[in-house]
Amino acid sequence: MTSNPKADMDLQQVRALVISSLDNAGVSRVKVLPGPKVEGAFHNGCGVSVSVGVLLAADDHVTRSSEIDPIVGDLRGMPDRAAVAVIDKASGLAWAPADLVDMRGAPFPTCQRTALKREAAEWSAAGLEVSVGFELEFTVFSGTQGAPVLAHAGPGYSAAAFLQLEAWHLDVLTALVEAGVPVEQIHPEYGQGQVEIALAPRSPVQAVDDYLLARFIVARVSRRHGLHVSYSPIADSNTATNGCHIHFSARNGDGNVFYDAAAATQMSPEGESMIAGVLGRLAESAALLGGSALSLARLQPEQWAGSFICWGTGNREAAVRFVPGLKGYEDEQSNVEVKCCDGSANQYLAVAAILAAAMEGFRGRLKLPAEVTVDPGTLSEAERERLDIRTFAPDMFTALDDLDGSSFLRSALGHELLDAYVAVRRGEADRFAKLDREAVIAALRWRY
């Protein structure tokens, strides 16, 4: 583990360290250590219940899988010194993501961050440098959590919407930059109360760490402004839904695999095969990319949510969107966006699933299907069938069956982790199966 010089210097003034892990329900769970305990935690961690892998977002009920007993056993959360961020110098608050290990110090099977590390290592071994970036969509509310009010009235992307929350926007930007989170941009999104933050591309684990820290900081700043933030896929039925778009790109010795000026697709054969791999595994990955009771309800046509399993250049209705770079900057900017993910996912697992599928395509030299150059929703069912354009599972139970039966994802993530994940998400699906849409929206609004 490398050292973070800035954090090492600042740790002397740290009064409290927030040690964070992202669980199978997509909830950030934390332990907070006082300053005198911080240095020791980098060597021996902090205590974590084995139940952290099987808690439900819905009500924090503990479920179980065949391999994970939530009652017996203990873990240690090992904060990553290289990823420490000082959030607030004045108050002495710092943050660090953690890996979960058992009492012998070995990686615990349900550690999602470790699973992504393994997948990133596969790319390095193949001579590929992969970068990942996130676009976080979320809804901002004023009022109270019991009586929330959308915090801006739009119009979408407008100066008027920005000015309604100008001080909040600037404080969020300042806090992110001071904590070392690489922000590309922040802006009002399409829906009322909706905002988007785009984070710069980083290595896979760093990118998800940035995502997790960004959410923590945005929530913290919002509370100081008397505002509330929800990353739920559907935070309010009167505004746009929230996605969490995952971008990735890859480089080999020749440059960006998603840029080849001589190719009809503007991509190298390796890049084409990576997209083919992602498309081929997208249906069975759906419950990983967004596992809440609202995730599939978000994936509807005409919502720019990527509700059709297909790809297209700049196509916002396709689940996979090829994003070519600006002329002259193609090698730096060209990338692929997976649009069907949302903020209820465990992003360590979501990114691991996407990268594993892309690597399968790369190694197998899979052939890229035909590009879809129109809104897939405007095509007839016969046309979509001819072009092999599919839709996602009709409900979360079906999506979880597809995930549970995926030998590919079991191999990529491990049986213990996948079984624990499926147990959690099935438990949540059961909780909400008999509730109407508005009741589910209200129940999950403040969980994400």
Side-chain angles (χ1 to χ4, degrees), residues 146-228:
V149 178
L150 293 168
H152 74 70
Y157 319 116
S158 70
F162 167 75
L163 292 173
Q164 290 174 63
L165 295 173
E166 178 185 355
W168 172 86
H169 277 94
L170 295 179
D171 282 354
V172 166
L173 272 179
T174 298
L176 290 171
V177 171
E178 287 183 348
V181 179
V183 181
E184 296 273 82
Q185 63 181 21
I186 182 173
H187 63 87
E189 246 294 340
Y190 176 74
Q192 293 184 26
Q194 194 178 37
V195 174
E196 178 180 283
I197 296 176
L199 302 181
R202 302 248 271 172
S203 66
V205 176
Q206 282 182 314
V208 183
D209 291 345
D210 288 341
Y211 161 87
L212 194 55
L213 176 56
R215 286 184 52 155
F216 186 88
I217 290 173
V218 170
R220 187 170 183 270
V221 172
S222 298
R223 288 178 177 273
R224 293 207 308 267
H225 283 260
L227 299 171
H228 313 279

Side-chain angles (χ1 to χ4, degrees), residues 66-90:
S66 57
E67 292 89 358
I68 305 299
D69 182 345
I71 307 302
V72 179
D74 292 287
L75 307 176
R76 302 296 288 182
M78 303 297 294
D80 186 342
R81 185 190 288 272
V84 171
V86 177
I87 293 174
D88 189 330
K89 289 184 179 180

Side-chain angles (χ1 to χ4, degrees), residues 365-385:
R365 299 183 180 181
L366 298 186
K367 182 176 175 55
L368 183 65
E371 177 180 8
V372 177
T373 58
V374 299
D375 177 353
T378 63
L379 302 175
S380 67
E381 289 189 18
E383 289 174 312
R384 289 199 292 268
E385 183 175 354

Side-chain angles (χ1 to χ4, degrees), residues 73-76 101-106:
D74 292 287
L75 307 176
R76 302 296 288 182
V101 302
D102 63 24
M103 300 307 288
R104 297 168 299 170

Side-chain angles (χ1 to χ4, degrees), residues 98-447:
D99 296 316
L100 300 180
V101 302
D102 63 24
M103 300 307 288
R104 297 168 299 170
F108 194 66
T110 63
C111 181
Q112 302 87 353
R113 193 169 185 262
T114 299
L116 179 53
K117 285 181 177 181
R118 289 197 305 267
E119 190 54 46
E122 292 284 328
W123 283 67
S124 295
L128 294 164
E129 179 185 347
V130 60
S131 297
V132 174
F134 286 92
E135 293 177 9
L136 292 70
E137 293 178 346
F138 52 94
T139 308
V140 184
F141 295 90
S142 58
T144 66
Q145 289 194 347
V149 178
L150 293 168
H152 74 70
Y157 319 116
S158 70
F162 167 75
L163 292 173
Q164 290 174 63
L165 295 173
E166 178 185 355
W168 172 86
H169 277 94
L170 295 179
D171 282 354
V172 166
L173 272 179
T174 298
L176 290 171
V177 171
E178 287 183 348
V181 179
V183 181
E184 296 273 82
Q185 63 181 21
I186 182 173
H187 63 87
E189 246 294 340
Y190 176 74
Q192 293 184 26
Q194 194 178 37
V195 174
E196 178 180 283
I197 296 176
L199 302 181
R202 302 248 271 172
S203 66
V205 176
Q206 282 182 314
V208 183
D209 291 345
D210 288 341
Y211 161 87
L212 194 55
L213 176 56
R215 286 184 52 155
F216 186 88
I217 290 173
V218 170
R220 187 170 183 270
V221 172
S222 298
R223 288 178 177 273
R224 293 207 308 267
H225 283 260
L227 299 171
H228 313 279
V229 173
S230 175
Y231 294 84
S232 179
I234 307 177
D236 189 299
S237 58
N238 296 309
T239 189
T241 63
N242 293 319
C244 180
H245 305 157
I246 299 175
H247 292 252
F248 76 97
S249 62
R251 304 185 71 83
N252 58 19
D254 298 322
N256 190 337
V257 303
F258 295 115
Y259 175 58
D260 183 343
T265 61
Q266 296 294 291
M267 290 179 276
S268 71
E270 292 85 357
E272 292 181 3
S273 292
M274 287 177 185
I275 293 179
V278 172
L279 288 172
R281 298 297 182 179
L282 214 50
E284 62 207 77
S285 302
L288 283 173
L289 304 181
S292 81
L294 295 169
S295 292
L296 292 172
R298 186 186 76 87
L299 296 180
Q300 298 301 316
E302 301 180 4
Q303 300 294 317
W304 293 5
S307 59
F308 293 95
I309 300 176
C310 60
W311 81 279
T313 302
N315 193 332
R316 287 176 171 80
E317 287 290 345
V320 178
R321 186 168 79 109
F322 173 52
V323 186
L326 177 69
K327 183 173 179 160
Y329 295 88
E330 295 95 340
D331 184 70
E332 299 173 32
Q333 297 179 348
S334 298
N335 68 90
V336 174
E337 177 187 31
V338 180
K339 294 182 61 65
C340 50
C341 187
D342 67 58
S344 71
N346 180 300
Q347 305 300 348
Y348 293 109
L349 296 184
V351 172
I354 291 168
L355 295 185
M359 178 56 67
E360 180 187 43
F362 169 77
R363 286 174 170 159
R365 299 183 180 181
L366 298 186
K367 182 176 175 55
L368 183 65
E371 177 180 8
V372 177
T373 58
V374 299
D375 177 353
T378 63
L379 302 175
S380 67
E381 289 189 18
E383 289 174 312
R384 289 199 292 268
E385 183 175 354
R386 178 177 61 82
L387 294 170
D388 194 27
I389 299 172
R390 294 164 289 153
T391 56
F392 287 94
D395 56 69
M396 187 51 64
F397 294 105
T398 304
L400 287 167
D401 285 344
D402 292 340
L403 174 60
D404 197 16
S406 172
S407 58
F408 170 75
L409 289 169
R410 284 191 171 277
S411 176
L413 301 178
H415 290 283
E416 297 95 335
L417 177 52
L418 195 67
D419 284 345
Y421 182 89
V422 169
V424 167
R425 296 304 192 171
R426 277 189 176 144
E428 292 179 356
D430 286 336
R431 288 284 190 281
F432 295 116
K434 295 181 180 179
L435 297 183
D436 64 33
R437 178 186 173 97
E438 290 302 316
V440 179
I441 291 173
L444 291 180
R445 180 177 292 127
W446 308 122
R447 289 292 178 172

